[in-house]
Amino acid sequence: AIKEFDYGEVNVVSYPSLASRVLPPILGGFLKTRPGLRIELSSRNSWLLVETMATQGLDVGFGMFAPDRPGVRFEKLCSMRAVCVLPPDHPLAAREVIHAGDLHGVRFVGMVDEDRAQLQIDQVFAENGSERNIVIKVQLTEACCSFVASGVGVSIVDPLSTEGFGRNELIVRPFRPVVDFNIWVVTPSFRQPSLATQALIDHVRLHLPAKLAEMARSIGD
């Protein structure tokens, strides 16, 4: 069992939208052939994820932030393009691509200032001279999508956050200029990953980019 990485426990931490909507089927496939292995999965925003990994000795994390933090190492897993999400009845929903300038003065659901991905988005709008009408700020991108689906405004999120919303709830469009978000494998630097942890990382590395490619094709980006 040890030789086949089929025994023990792997403690995983991930940022929320990945942990709740996308990782479950991927990790479920990993566990299907490993009945002696157990996974403990928790979620943190990408900043807290790094701190948790550095201080609590977890096995592996999947985050969107790679700061210079002692005790933690980062390896890029894949990238994904930000998308614009809109209510189905929004005037801009008929467009194939949403540009930053299209959202000038438009009611917008933003992320709280502590979110690092939000800084990238803010910079793009500033560089394009487009001023959004930010009516609410939330902590989770899934919450952004829920508020958009409720008709509060539009938002810019990572595509994984849109998983699980139907077309009658949320319209997803490519956004320009391109904003790329990286997903990082986060591991403690004071020890090497166990065989089971490395097998899990390899499994996610195989299946997560495929999921993102599938979503990009459906969005038309």
Side-chain angles (χ1 to χ4, degrees):
I2 293 173
K3 182 180 178 181
E4 298 299 325
F5 323 131
D6 186 26
Y7 182 79
E9 179 176 297
V10 181
N11 290 288
V12 183
V13 60
S14 169
Y15 69 93
S17 61
L18 184 62
S20 63
R21 296 181 179 272
V22 181
L23 272 184
I26 294 176
L27 297 184
F30 178 74
L31 287 171
K32 190 172 294 184
T33 57
R34 296 170 173 86
L37 187 66
R38 187 176 78 171
I39 293 175
E40 183 170 318
L41 175 63
S42 57
S43 64
R44 303 282 190 282
N45 69 39
S46 291
W47 177 267
L48 287 177
L49 184 153
V50 174
E51 294 302 307
T52 300
M53 184 61 60
T55 60
Q56 295 187 22
L58 301 180
D59 295 308
V60 61
F62 299 99
M64 294 176 62
F65 182 45
D68 185 11
R69 176 65 163 89
V72 180
R73 65 172 163 257
F74 300 91
E75 184 179 359
K76 184 177 174 181
L77 177 63
C78 56
S79 296
M80 53 186 174
R81 287 183 173 181
V83 295
C84 182
V85 289
L86 312 96
D89 60 352
H90 196 279
L92 293 174
R95 301 196 181 189
E96 294 298 320
V97 178
I98 305 297
H99 293 82
D102 298 333
L103 302 183
H104 182 78
V106 173
R107 291 171 62 86
F108 193 90
V109 179
M111 296 287 292
V112 293
D113 294 336
E114 68 186 37
D115 185 85
R116 300 292 169 166
Q118 186 65 44
L119 297 179
Q120 293 177 252
I121 295 169
D122 291 345
Q123 183 177 355
V124 165
F125 280 98
E127 291 173 351
N128 285 268
S130 181
E131 187 173 340
R132 299 153 292 165
N133 176 17
I134 300 176
V135 294
I136 189 170
K137 289 185 177 183
V138 298
Q139 192 171 32
L140 301 177
T141 50
E142 287 178 286
C144 282
C145 292
S146 294
F147 276 106
V148 171
S150 298
V152 173
V154 307
S155 191
I156 307 297
V157 298
D158 67 90
L160 296 179
S161 301
T162 69
E163 183 75 358
F165 288 90
R167 293 185 178 182
N168 61 326
E169 299 176 289
L170 208 64
I171 299 298
V172 185
R173 292 287 184 260
F175 178 70
R176 296 293 182 271
V178 169
V179 179
D180 286 322
F181 299 135
N182 293 326
I183 300 179
W184 301 88
V185 178
V186 189
T187 52
S189 60
F190 51 84
R191 58 183 167 89
Q192 290 298 313
S194 68
L195 294 177
T197 299
Q198 188 59 57
L200 184 150
I201 292 170
D202 293 341
H203 185 83
V204 174
R205 188 184 300 281
L206 176 65
H207 291 279
L208 182 56
K211 175 64 176 178
L212 286 168
E214 175 190 332
M215 296 185 76
R217 286 192 296 270
S218 68
I219 294 167
D221 195 1

